[in-house]
Amino acid sequence: MPQPAVEVVDDAPALARAAADVVAAFVAADPDRTVVPATGETPLGLYAELAERHRAGRFDASSLTIVQLDDYRGLGPGDRRSLYGWMDRALLRPLAIADDRVLRLPADGDPDACAAFDRELEARGGIDLAILGVGENGHLGFNEPPSAAGSPTRIVALTRATIAANARYWGSDTDVPTEAVTLGLRPLLASRRILLLASGPRKREIVHRALDGPMGDDVPASFLRRAEGEVTVIVDRAAWEPA
Ligand code: PGA
């Protein structure tokens, strides 16, 4: 199993360009790819860069299938606070990707629906490219610690760390939903290609723990070292080197 390749770039804009180069080359080689795009702040520069290339006629995303990575549980359809809404604003609309090209997680997290989702994903051939960020607590998507490498798509209880990290989007800690639905580590780690992005000094410790620390459920991102496909980690200097 090849170990993750790490590319260190100067800063967040360089990270966006380097990641866009990887995504664009991957999609150009086969426009029918199935892609998981993370939400969160880290990939926003990448999505803006892809949107810019799209406007310039240099990136065509119209044949992609998009698989939703995670969402809060129990928000009504069209709720602006949902991560689906975030993905819609940051990626789907700027890249002119139609809604019907999105494989959407069951919003209520019903276990049978989650199992059916994993089966359908597998029947479609699985994930070609997963674009991921990492939480300061080591989560991938909302696979909060502890999460087993074989965990399926499911409901998760959000940790206090994640609730605190997301409070800025909601007003206060008590406004953040306490449960979410996430694509499991099992389908994620079976991806043909994984691109992990990390930016800024707050991510430095977890990036090194994920790549060099003990591998285990307490640091879900550490399982990237046993992913089935090729893993590329792009970090900026602030997320890699001591200040
Ligand atoms: P961020 O979130 O990109 O907003 O830092 C990453 C994550 O929590 O997975």
Side-chain angles (χ1 to χ4, degrees):
M1 211 168 280
Q3 287 305 290
V6 180
E7 183 181 351
V8 184
V9 299
D10 280 343
D11 51 19
L15 185 142
R17 287 191 299 274
D21 288 345
V22 171
V23 174
F26 193 78
V27 172
D30 177 0
D32 295 330
R33 305 278 201 189
T34 296
V35 175
V36 171
T39 54
E41 272 182 37
T42 312
L44 288 179
L46 158 64
Y47 301 153
E49 177 72 26
L50 291 175
E52 186 59 44
R53 295 181 191 196
H54 171 73
R55 278 193 295 276
R58 293 189 289 125
F59 179 69
D60 179 11
S62 59
S63 301
L64 297 180
T65 297
I66 300 293
V67 178
Q68 190 182 12
L69 174 62
D70 52 11
D71 212 331
Y72 297 106
R73 184 176 180 216
L75 298 184
D79 192 313
R80 234 189 104 72
R81 300 169 303 174
S82 76
L83 296 182
Y84 187 92
W86 181 304
M87 178 171 78
D88 190 44
R89 293 188 294 278
L91 187 77
L92 302 181
R93 280 194 246 156
L95 292 179
I97 299 171
D99 269 359
D100 62 7
R101 301 209 63 91
V102 183
L103 200 57
R104 210 171 163 162
L105 288 169
D108 60 359
D110 171 70
D112 290 341
C114 286
F117 184 93
D118 279 351
R119 281 196 303 274
E120 182 176 354
L121 183 55
E122 207 175 321
R124 288 171 177 235
I127 299 162
D128 292 314
L129 171 65
I131 301 165
L132 301 176
V134 59
E136 286 171 62
N137 67 353
H139 71 198
L140 295 177
F142 275 140
N143 288 283
E144 297 277 63
S147 280
S151 55
T153 296
R154 68 201 185 287
I155 296 174
V156 287
L158 295 178
T159 59
R160 282 171 58 183
T162 295
I163 289 173
N166 289 332
R168 63 188 189 279
Y169 304 123
W170 294 79
S172 75
D173 283 21
T174 49
D175 295 320
V176 182
T178 55
E179 288 187 327
V181 185
T182 189
L183 201 62
L185 288 179
R186 187 177 62 209
L188 272 178
L189 295 173
S191 303
R192 282 172 200 85
R193 183 92 194 254
I194 295 176
L195 184 58
L196 182 81
L197 307 178
S199 172
R202 287 188 301 114
K203 298 294 171 70
R204 189 184 306 135
E205 187 194 336
I206 194 61
V207 165
H208 288 286
R209 279 176 70 200
L211 294 176
D212 303 318
M215 197 189 307
D217 298 12
D218 288 345
V219 183
S222 67
F223 290 125
L224 289 171
R225 285 181 270 160
R226 63 151 94 141
E228 285 174 35
E230 188 183 344
V231 179
T232 303
V233 179
I234 308 183
V235 291
D236 60 16
R237 283 196 196 288
W240 187 252
E241 293 171 358

